[in-house]
């Protein structure tokens, strides 16, 4: 249809202000909006109205973008939108600009999606971008990028020994048969299953030390890792990216099977524990839809093994949603509770055969599914808590005590299942690791629950809530230290690369808020210097872990800035009351970390505490 020269289409009404659109935040459409007020960005809150008629310059850029899109289409095995930064570079090259000049392009050239982050042109395998898409690969090239068989055997064995029980969506004997079949006839492999294998090897490698002699030959044959990034972490991210390449090659957006569901869940779990919870958010929604489409929540008259495999994956899907619900407090996951499903049996892999299942152990000993079932109960409890704290019932003290008791009951059960007379078992270090993991959930939930009542300036102040916040913050930081230092937990240091360190960061913010409060009333009940030392030691740990984890790197920067703002020894006279108010506000908003994920939005040079830490605002 011909377009009339010079005609203009009608203007489209802008729904959100520019700041909220860029930060992907909820906008109340006021002027200035509430989000910009909280972030002290009143002056930059604008509702710019755009038209559909492109200017000549825009027309030129659109042509350049289309050409860049063609280039990217030739690199990727299935349709995928290229990153805006790379498109901006392509556009700049069309206009005769040097690549270095594109660094000065406006901020709106950045692509804000969790599926693909900008990748450097010089290296398709950027160590900091496990989800950026590399070159198109043939099936043979994908297979050849696997570790050699002896190393692959070692990684798979390590996975089932040290990782699988924390996320037991696989049936070990079934995977063994699939693995043997693949090694005998690699070209006949199901590509999503290959994605699962790559993700497992990636996760296993990221939990291991680069000094391991069994990895030396394999690592020496690969390109050197960037400075300050361990070789195991660097190669792990390469393998994870290849897992995504496999899924793309199989067109998992439209074609999916049960192996696709398994692989996608493993990729999301990998991201949550080694990169960032938010990166798996869009993939998690796809996994949910695929699981429903495959009816994995419904028993389908299959064999006992196939039935249990689907039940396990559905339970794994629910536990992955627990991270989102607890770390993004306004996301209501309660709709998942309305989807009827059967829980997996509380048995070991060897107890499930094609003939049937053995009955669960009555001796109270943990099975390979015990942690998963504990996590499913936590998902149900955390969903109830997140719905409670997001609504008017959050101020109901009776309900507060009921939920507090429910969390305590779960903790009591874990003591019975995973500890020996209240102490870690030296005969089975894995049980202690499971106990530590579950306790991080419990104490994080305590902080969410008691936040409105923790500060003496609040009209709803409860001394017991402040005590609970202090004790749970200490417990989270202590578990962080145990996972870092305890020889018994050496195989679980990798847990600090992801969501566990996020919880510890939140604990530090909560504890600082409580410390400012008790300092003002000169409460001798607490050893304030000891508590501050705990935070200082955690800062040191975060710095040391920065090379392995983007989360720890960001947490280190935030904690250092937090220290500079809260050093009481250098606090000017008369400013104590101001600090108390700032920290009351800070802890009141600390649980929402969406903006914290983007460190470019943090005002590191601002002198005002609220301005520097509005990353936690809702």
């Amino acid at each position: 249809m011909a377009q009339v020269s010079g005609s203009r289409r009608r203007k489209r009404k802008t729904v959100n202000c520019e700041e909220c659109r860029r930060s992907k935040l909820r906008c109340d459409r006021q002027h200035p909006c509430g989000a910009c007020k909280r972030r002290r960005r009143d002056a930059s809150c604008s509702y710019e109205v755009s038209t559909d008629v492109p200017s000549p310059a825009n027309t030129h850029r659109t042509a350049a973008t289309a050409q860049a899109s063609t280039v990217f289409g030739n690199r990727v095995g299935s349709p995928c939108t290229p990153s805006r930064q790379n498109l901006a570079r392509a556009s700049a090259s069309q206009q005769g600009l040097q690549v270095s000049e594109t660094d000065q392009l406006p901020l709106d050239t950045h692509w804000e999606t969790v599926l693909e982050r900008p990748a450097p042109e010089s290296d398709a395998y950027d160590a900091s971008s496990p989800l950026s898409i590399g070159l198109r690969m043939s099936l043979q090239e994908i297979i050849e990028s696997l570790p050699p068989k002896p190393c692959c055997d070692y990684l798979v064995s390590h996975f089932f020994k040290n990782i699988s029980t924390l996320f037991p969506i696989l049936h070990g004997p079934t995977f063994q048969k699939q693995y043997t079949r693949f090694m005998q006839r690699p070209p006949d492999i199901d590509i999503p299953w290959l994605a699962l294998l790559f993700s497992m090897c990636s996760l296993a490698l990221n939990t291991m030390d680069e000094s391991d002699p069994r990895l030396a030959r394999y690592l020496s044959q690969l390109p050197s890792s960037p400075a300050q990034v361990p070789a195991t972490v660097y190669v792990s991210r390469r393998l994870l990216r290849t897992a995504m390449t496999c899924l793309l090659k199989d067109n998992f957006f439209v074609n999916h099977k049960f192996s696709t569901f398994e692989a996608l869940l493993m990729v999301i779990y990998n991201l949550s524990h080694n990169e960032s919870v938010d990166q798996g958010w869009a993939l998690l929604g796809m996994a949910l839809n695929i699981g429903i489409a495959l009816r994995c929540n419904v028993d389908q008259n299959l064999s006992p093994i196939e039935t249990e495999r689907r039940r396990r994956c559905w339970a794994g899907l629910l536990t992955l949603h627990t991270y989102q619900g607890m770390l993004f407090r306004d996301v209501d996951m309660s709709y998942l509770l309305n989807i009827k499903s059967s829980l997996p049996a509380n048995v070991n892999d060897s107890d499930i055969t094609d003939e049937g299942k053995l009955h669960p152990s009555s001796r109270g000993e943990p099975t390979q599914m015990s942690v998963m079932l504990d996590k499913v109960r936590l998902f149900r409890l955390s969903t109830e808590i997140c719905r409670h704290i997001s609504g008017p019932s959050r101020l109901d003290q009776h309900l507060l005590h009921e939920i507090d008791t429910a969390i305590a009951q779960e903790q009591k059960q874990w003591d019975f299942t995973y500890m020996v007379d209240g102490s870690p078992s030296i005969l089975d270090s894995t049980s202690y690791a499971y106990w530590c993991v579950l306790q991080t959930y419990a104490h994080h939930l305590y902080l969410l629950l008691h936040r409105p009542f923790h500060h003496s300036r609040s009209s709803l102040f409860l001394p017991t809530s402040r005590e609970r916040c202090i004790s749970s913050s200490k417990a989270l930081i202590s578990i962080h230290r145990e996972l870092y230092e305890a020889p018994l937990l050496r195989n679980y240091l990798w847990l600090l690369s992801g969501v566990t360190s996020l919880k510890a960061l939140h604990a530090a913010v909560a504890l600082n808020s409580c410390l400012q409060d008790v300092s003002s009333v000169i409460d001798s009940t607490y050893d304030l210097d000891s508590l501050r030392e705990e935070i200082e030691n955690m800062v040191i740990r975060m710095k040391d872990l920065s090379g392995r984890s983007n989360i720890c790197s960001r947490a280190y920067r935030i904690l250092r800035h937090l220290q500079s703002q809260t050093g009481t020894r250098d606090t000017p006279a008369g400013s104590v009351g101001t600090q108390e108010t700032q920290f009351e506000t800070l802890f009141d908003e600390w649980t929402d970390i969406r903006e914290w994920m983007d460190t470019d939005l943090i005002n590191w040079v601002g002198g005002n505490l609220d301005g520097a830490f509005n990353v936690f605002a809702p």
Side-chain angles (χ1 to χ4, degrees), residues 565-578:
Q565 293 287 346
T566 61
T568 54
R569 294 175 183 173
D570 300 325
T571 301
S575 65
V576 175
T578 303

Side-chain angles (χ1 to χ4, degrees), residues 372-442:
M372 176 69 87
L373 294 173
D374 289 332
K375 286 184 176 181
V376 171
R377 288 200 305 275
L378 274 171
F379 166 72
R380 296 181 182 279
L381 184 58
S382 66
T383 298
E384 179 184 351
I385 291 174
C386 291
R387 185 171 58 231
H388 160 68
I389 64 176
S390 299
S393 68
R394 70 184 183 279
L395 306 181
D396 186 336
Q397 295 186 15
H398 178 71
L399 191 54
L400 167 75
H401 294 303
E402 281 188 0
I403 301 177
D404 186 283
T405 301
I407 300 173
Q409 288 296 326
E410 290 292 331
Q411 290 179 296
K412 187 178 296 184
Q413 180 61 42
W414 303 334
D415 289 344
F416 174 76
T417 305
Y418 302 106
M419 303 288 272
V420 178
D421 297 328
S423 300
S425 170
I426 61 172
L427 304 179
D428 180 20
S429 61
T430 57
S431 292
Y432 183 43
Y434 304 155
W435 181 88
C436 289
V437 169
L438 293 170
Q439 289 293 344
T440 65
Y441 285 91

Side-chain angles (χ1 to χ4, degrees), residues 197-249:
L197 178 60
F198 269 102
S199 185
M200 290 169 60
C201 289
S202 167
L203 188 54
L205 193 60
N206 204 54
T207 69
M208 303 168 78
D209 198 302
E210 60 183 335
S211 63
D212 189 326
R214 290 156 291 195
L215 300 175
R217 184 177 180 182
Y218 170 55
L219 296 178
S220 65
Q221 296 172 346
L222 298 172
S224 300
S225 61
Q228 299 181 340
V229 177
T232 49
V233 175
Y234 180 62
V235 178
S236 170
R237 289 169 178 168
R238 291 169 57 106
L239 295 175
L240 181 57
R241 186 170 311 113
T242 308
M244 284 300 303
T245 299
C246 290
L247 290 174
L248 289 167
K249 188 175 184 64

